[in-house]
Amino acid sequence: MRLTACPLDCYDACAVVVERESLKMTGAPNHPFTRGSLCTHLYRHYREAERIQKPRVDGKEVSMEEALEAVAEAIEKAGPEKFLLYRGSGNVGFMQSVTERFVAEYGAWTTEGSLCDGAGQAGIEAGRGKNLLLPIESIEEAEAIVVWGRNVSVTDPHMMRLLEEKTLIVIDPVRTKVARMADLFLQIRPRSDFYLAVLLSRFMYMEDMEDAKFLEERCEDADWYYDFLRTFRVVVSLHKCGITLDDLGDLLYQLQHKKTVFLVGTGVQKYTIGDQVLHAIDGLAAVMGFWGRPGVGVQFLGDSMAGFQNPIDHSPKRVAKPDAPFGRFTTVLVQGANPLAQMPGLSKVEKEMEKVENLIYFGLYENETSAKARIVLPAKDFLEKEDLRLSYGHPWVQPMPKVKEASFGISEYELTKFLFGRFRLDGLREEREYIEAMTSQCIQEGDWLKSPAYESFPYEESFDTDSGNFEFLEEFEDDFDDEEPGLWLITPKSPRSLNSQFRRESHVRLHPCHGFRDGERVRVVSDHGSVELPVEVTDAVREDCVLIYAGTPGVNYLTPPIKSLMGKSACYQEVKVTLEKIA
């Protein structure tokens, strides 16, 4: 038996026990958080997915040696100024990033920003300084939990047990499984989370529910912030949220005199103003005095590298990931990603990719990007190489030892080592040295390792800002017309797929009010493109919304090719759509 960790892009980062002979995987029962259970992505879908086994060059199967030489020649032809590494996060072991070391040494280009959480991260850092993870024990001690734009049963199912025997409030445009369990469910309009956070903060003052001592001692310019809150008219803000004053009163009542944790998901920040949304939610927690003590705080996706000195250098030459200008480059290496399905503004992405002379795909599975690639390199999976698993959902750091020998494929480190040798570069350390450089920084707690950034009560003494205090949002910038005609597009994570991996969805979910029947085909149209999909009718979606799960083929023809104001993050939901019935 070997102990390892799930490599998939998810909050939970499950600890896994693998039987050496059968390779049967079960959860490690003594893990402090995941406690012996695994999600279906790993124990079922991961096994079912058919891997790429043979390298290809120009559509022909070749040996690994031939494929690697083709990769080197393509990079050499491009030169540092015309070579881009585009790296994804479908598998999030630390050593996935070692290819960045070659790019830095070669002087080529990489990406920055995120398709997922960059805007939220930027907003958190603006108020707190660092994005420290709220520990699980703080969530356990909460008396009320607000699940805000986060479908916990799908995104981090191990969190479900922590919702029991607490006042549960859910804020979401979709009536999720968790919403059906809630003591209070507010089905707000998309893109209104900022206005709700501002309203709640203002009413905390109006109802004498603010923590005056915390505001005076731990916050910067709190009096000014109250004046800022008063610039948002109550009636207008309620309308933007799609709720009533009574709804707001019910929410305030549920929060009264309770230690509260806010579990915030990426859905609230898939907009140009995403950073301001998280900053406003953090500001709400500050008004309530909910930082630095047990049972309170805000949990978003934590910065898994917080507290670490990264031993892997990254290139300073970077382009933004959400709108990467592929056409600028002769050679693009796509690692563990599927930009020809996952990136917003897909029509523009396709046109950019057509200009790339040498598209190289390095990954586990066939997808839209591998189908267009000139060179395809099969990767090793997490059981076939050494790695280290960090988490953005809990503080535990887990070594991932090699469990079996690979019969095909190449690891990220092996590719990097080949390229260092081929280009006669110096400075690459041994693989074990990089992993040990990380684990040596961790906190040892029994049999487990913890992130060096772990704090029992984050921000108990001070925030990581220049002032040492929480710093409120100072201005609000937004020029999107949310009253323009059309239906809001919502793109949450699917329970059956992970981004564009595994069992991808194929339907558009619509409210019954639109008059469609299950199975009817519709054309969904935005200013950026269109997609035809069969309908699934559900009253879980608001009447003014269209739900298409992330990873559904073609959904990103609808999404805008833009990035957030801060954080260089994708804005998948900054769009409205219309419906056309297909005869």
Side-chain angles (χ1 to χ4, degrees), residues 280-300:
I281 293 173
D282 273 4
L284 169 61
V287 169
M288 300 170 77
F290 283 172
W291 292 110
R293 55 191 178 92
V296 300
V298 178
Q299 193 204 56
F300 184 60

Side-chain angles (χ1 to χ4, degrees), residues 26-267:
T26 55
N30 61 336
H31 188 269
F33 178 53
T34 58
R35 297 186 177 183
S37 59
L38 302 177
C39 78
T40 57
H41 289 317
L42 185 65
Y43 76 74
R44 182 185 304 165
H45 298 161
Y46 199 87
R47 286 180 171 275
E48 294 173 351
E50 187 175 343
R51 288 173 58 188
I52 301 171
Q53 298 189 18
K54 299 285 187 180
R56 298 195 302 270
V57 177
D58 294 322
K60 297 178 181 179
E61 291 185 356
V62 298
S63 68
M64 181 61 76
E65 292 74 19
E66 291 173 297
L68 289 174
E69 184 57 31
V71 168
E73 289 175 357
I75 294 172
E76 197 168 39
K77 181 177 181 179
E81 286 303 314
K82 293 290 185 178
F83 172 51
L84 171 69
L85 171 65
Y86 186 96
R87 193 166 57 84
S89 58
N91 292 273
V92 290
F94 169 72
M95 289 303 295
Q96 308 283 309
S97 66
V98 74
T99 46
E100 300 279 3
R101 183 71 189 86
F102 167 73
V103 174
E105 194 67 28
Y106 187 53
W109 290 80
T110 186
T111 61
E112 62 181 345
S114 171
L115 298 185
C116 180
D117 63 328
Q121 171 95 357
I124 288 169
E125 290 174 349
R128 307 184 215 167
K130 288 183 182 177
N131 180 11
L132 300 181
L133 185 69
L134 185 69
I136 302 303
E137 49 267 38
S138 270
I139 302 172
E140 289 176 329
E141 292 191 43
E143 297 166 331
I145 292 184
V146 179
V147 179
W148 199 330
R150 179 163 160 180
N151 189 3
V152 174
S153 65
V154 171
T155 59
D156 43 337
H158 290 87
M159 189 70 75
M160 291 293 286
R161 66 180 173 83
L162 302 183
L163 307 184
E164 297 171 1
E165 299 181 5
K166 294 176 172 61
T167 299
L168 178 60
I169 300 156
V170 176
I171 301 168
D172 204 294
V174 182
R175 187 183 298 108
T176 60
K177 176 181 177 180
V178 180
R180 292 192 291 270
M181 300 164 47
D183 297 285
L184 176 65
F185 172 45
L186 289 187
Q187 194 168 18
I188 64 171
R189 293 174 71 187
R191 209 178 180 277
S192 66
D193 308 271
F194 172 83
Y195 295 96
L196 181 57
V198 164
L199 271 177
L200 284 169
S201 295
R202 181 174 178 181
F203 272 78
M204 288 291 167
Y205 280 99
M206 293 169 63
E207 299 296 323
D208 295 323
M209 293 172 65
E210 83 278 17
D211 187 328
K213 186 173 186 291
F214 186 89
L215 287 166
E216 180 181 355
E217 297 179 357
R218 301 291 313 280
C219 297
E220 200 76 3
D221 297 324
D223 291 339
W224 179 91
Y225 189 60
Y226 179 54
D227 291 337
F228 172 76
L229 295 174
R230 293 170 61 193
T231 64
F232 295 89
R233 294 175 56 198
V234 172
V235 173
V236 172
S237 297
L238 288 170
H239 171 71
K240 285 181 177 292
C241 296
I243 62 173
T244 67
L245 193 58
D246 287 341
D247 294 328
L248 192 67
D250 290 342
L251 180 51
L252 290 167
Y253 175 77
Q254 293 287 356
L255 295 177
Q256 197 168 25
H257 308 305
K258 294 187 180 84
K259 293 188 295 183
T260 302
V261 161
F262 296 85
L263 301 180
V264 183
T266 59

Side-chain angles (χ1 to χ4, degrees), residues 392-408:
Y392 51 77
H394 61 69
W396 307 102
V397 177
Q398 302 172 83
M400 300 172 68
K402 185 166 75 171
V403 175
K404 66 170 184 173
E405 294 296 330
S407 56
F408 57 87

